[in-house]
Each structure stands twice: as C-alpha cells, then as structure tokens.
Amino acid sequence: APMTLDTVFKWIKEAVEDPDAALSRDVIRKGVAELQRRVSKGEPVSEALFRSKHDLINKLKESGLADLAEEVDIAMRASQLAKGFARNVQQACLDGQTMESMDHYVKTVVRGCDRKGWMMRRVFIHHLSQVAARSLKAGDQDAADKAEQS
C-alpha cells in the first residue's frame, strides 16, 4: 500500500528538522511534490494533518524554503476548499450564495483561487461543473413537473 499522507507529511517534517542529513533536501522536495500530487487528485487531508500544517510551513520558511512552504500551504488550502464543496458547506458553494453574499464570495473564494494558482483553480472549476450539473438536473425536474401539470 502507498504511504499515507500523514507519513509523507511526517517525512517532510523530519527532513526539515535534520537539514544536515545527506538526502534531506531531496526528501523535502519529493515529499512536497507527492503531497501536491495526491491532494490535487482529491485525496482527503485529515483534520489533524491540516491543524499541524502551520508547524511544517514555519519550519520550511526557517530553513530558507519559502517556495516549498507556499506550495504546502496552497495544497492544504485546496484540500479544505474541496472538502467544503464536497460537504456542500454553504459559505464555500457557489449555489449556496444569495444576492447579498455573492460580492463577498467573489472577493474571498474566487479571488483566493485566482491568487493561489492552479491547484485552487482546478478545485473551483470542478465545483463549477458540479453546480452546473445540479442546475441542469433541477431544470429537467422543473420541466418534467410543468409537463405533468399541463
């Protein structure tokens, strides 16, 4: 069986904590790439792992690896956004917005995805396709109901 995300995270953290080890930088880079790959494929991140992200991000920054810290941060944010969409959390979902909330939604969720790059955009575009599919189903049901009434 492949390593769990928790193990990938642990190995990155241990490599950052032991920068003099021969393969330390390699383990960190490959670990972050693996984390991104799996999160972008929709593998869920546990709450415990999400809560421990700040510690790893800070350690990466302190080690002069700000670029990798940013990549870990984006992967974790994308994972949380995908989880919000999957659970139909109203604040996260486009079709949960009202006229009053839409402006805030665009400023936070949509612009956040835009600023944070491709992984966040991919998660959001997947959500848009699901919203469209739900909308079509609802439209088909409305049409069917109207046809029965006539």
Side-chain angles (χ1 to χ4, degrees):
M3 289 195 312
T4 64
L5 274 181
D6 290 55
T7 304
V8 172
F9 216 75
K10 180 174 169 252
W11 283 21
I12 297 168
K13 191 166 171 268
E14 287 173 359
V16 173
E17 289 167 352
D18 190 8
D20 299 328
L23 296 172
S24 175
R25 292 271 187 207
D26 200 37
V27 168
I28 295 166
R29 290 199 181 282
K30 286 194 167 108
V32 171
E34 178 69 4
L35 180 72
Q36 287 180 301
R37 186 184 72 74
R38 288 168 64 173
V39 167
S40 73
K41 285 187 160 62
E43 189 169 333
V45 173
S46 69
E47 283 303 316
L49 200 58
F50 186 77
R51 281 194 303 273
S52 70
K53 78 177 181 130
H54 295 293
D55 186 38
L56 177 60
I57 289 168
N58 290 336
K59 285 184 170 150
L60 285 165
K61 285 179 184 171
E62 288 162 15
S63 300
L65 299 169
D67 57 327
L68 293 177
E70 177 74 4
E71 289 175 18
V72 168
D73 187 43
I74 290 168
M76 292 303 193
R77 287 173 189 268
S79 167
Q80 284 300 100
L81 187 62
K83 196 180 284 183
F85 291 152
R87 291 181 179 164
N88 277 321
V89 174
Q90 188 176 351
Q91 303 93 291
C93 294
L94 179 64
D95 47 351
Q97 303 316 303
T98 63
M99 290 296 285
E100 293 76 31
S101 69
M102 188 56 80
D103 189 48
H104 178 71
Y105 183 80
V106 169
K107 282 180 183 158
T108 55
V109 177
V110 179
R111 287 197 184 143
C113 290
D114 189 43
R115 269 194 315 276
K116 296 291 179 191
W118 290 111
M119 190 180 291
M120 294 283 281
R121 291 175 194 171
R122 191 177 301 126
V123 169
F124 188 73
I125 288 169
H126 178 70
H127 173 61
L128 286 181
S129 68
Q130 291 181 318
V131 170
R134 286 197 293 265
S135 176
L136 283 172
K137 272 191 195 142
D140 289 348
Q141 190 55 53
D142 288 347
D145 292 346
K146 285 184 180 132
E148 281 178 16
Q149 290 167 2
S150 58

